[in-house]
């Protein structure tokens, strides 16, 4: 049962909070998608994973709104129509599916960083654009399959005027909630801790200072992208673990589902889906430049331009490039573009 079914001040407070978070989410993640898709030099494996992550985060924002922003502004249908509406819109199933895609995408990003840093010249191990055609759909498919029980079991209860999970008696609900904590919380965090530990050791502990300027630029870029991915992962862990733990406690009778604690953890999960673009802006000068070019350049949404803004480049295909996207290489320098042009 929702917390703000009882209290009008709670309704107002939560609506305002969720409205602000959802607005920041949709605006920020839309910019991430546009920046990558409008700039040819940004179209690499790492950034495509960030686009998938941004789409998943926007899915969280879109489907959290009917449950926490627009609730009590409409009369929820009853019967079969109400049950179907709960499964697809008002029950939050698609919101949690998007959140799960975000977590799985972060695992893929961790593997991308691992192979890009530890095996930079091994094409078989590195995550390429061709491999992403299988990896990204697999992330989304796994998330939908994992959430399939909720699409079956969530129903509308006219007594409490809210959607709820109608689990059969027995151990099923306890096992499923515990599975969320283990499969979506503990295992992904363990994998990412292991991968990033290896990456950090390689970049900051065992690395030797290169002599060539271009190689120094490569190492600097790898460190920058890895720091950004680490921050995103840490924030995700901080925001998601409380909800996963509370979800288990709810079904073991140690916490009230929909109470203050549970609703607070939902706010954290929603907040997590909104902060990634902000992290990109603080972590990447290139991303900031692309955002400025996109927002303030009068020609930023055109395929071609007659007059180019200062410090903005257009490639041969007519796609705009951000300031500082190009790197001058010495003739004998070998450098993988996917490693250097990440957000």
């Amino acid at each position: 049962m929702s917390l703000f079914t009882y209290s009008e001040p709670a309704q107002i407070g939560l609506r305002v909070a969720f409205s602000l978070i959802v607005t920041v989410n949709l605006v920020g993640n839309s910019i991430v998608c546009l920046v990558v898709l409008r700039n040819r030099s940004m179209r690499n494996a790492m950034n495509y994973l960030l686009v998938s992550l941004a789409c998943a985060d926007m899915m969280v924002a879109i489907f959290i709104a009917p449950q926490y922003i627009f609730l009590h502004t409409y009369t929820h249908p009853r019967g079969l129509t109400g049950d179907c509406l709960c499964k697809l819109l008002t029950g939050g199933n698609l919101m949690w599916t998007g959140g799960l895609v975000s977590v799985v995408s972060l695992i893929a990003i961790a593997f991308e960083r691992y192979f890009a840093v530890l095996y930079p010249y091994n094409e078989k191990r590195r995550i390429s654009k061709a491999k992403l055609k299988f990896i990204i759909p697999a992330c989304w498919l796994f998330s939908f399959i994992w959430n399939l029980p909720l699409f079956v079991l969530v129903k509308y209860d006219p007594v409490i005027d809210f959607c709820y999970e109608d689990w059969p008696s027995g151990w099923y609900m306890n096992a499923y909630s515990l599975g969320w904590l283990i499969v979506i919380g503990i295992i992904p965090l363990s994998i990412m801790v292991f991968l990033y530990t290896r990456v950090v050791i390689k970049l900051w502990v065992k690395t030797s200072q290169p002599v060539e300027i271009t190689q120094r630029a490569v190492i600097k870029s790898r460190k920058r992208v890895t720091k950004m991915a680490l921050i995103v992962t840490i924030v995700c862990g901080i925001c998601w673990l409380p909800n996963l733990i509370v979800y288990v406690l709810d079904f073991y009778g140690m916490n009230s589902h929909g109470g203050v604690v549970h609703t607070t953890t939902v706010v954290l999960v929603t907040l997590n889906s909104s902060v990634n673009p902000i992290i990109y802006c603080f972590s990447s000068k290139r991303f900031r430049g692309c955002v400025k070019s996109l927002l303030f350049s009068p020609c930023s949404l055109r395929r071609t331009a007659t007059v180019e803004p200062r410090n903005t480049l257009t490639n041969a295909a007519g796609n705009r490039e951000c300031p500082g996207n190009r790197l001058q290489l010495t003739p004998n320098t070998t450098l993988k573009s996917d490693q250097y042009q990440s957000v």
Side-chain angles (χ1 to χ4, degrees), residues 90-106:
T90 58
N93 292 343
L94 289 173
M95 173 259 182
W96 292 112
T97 301
L100 182 51
V101 174
S102 298
V103 174
V104 179
S105 297
L106 287 176

Side-chain angles (χ1 to χ4, degrees), residues 242 276 322:
N276 289 342
C322 308

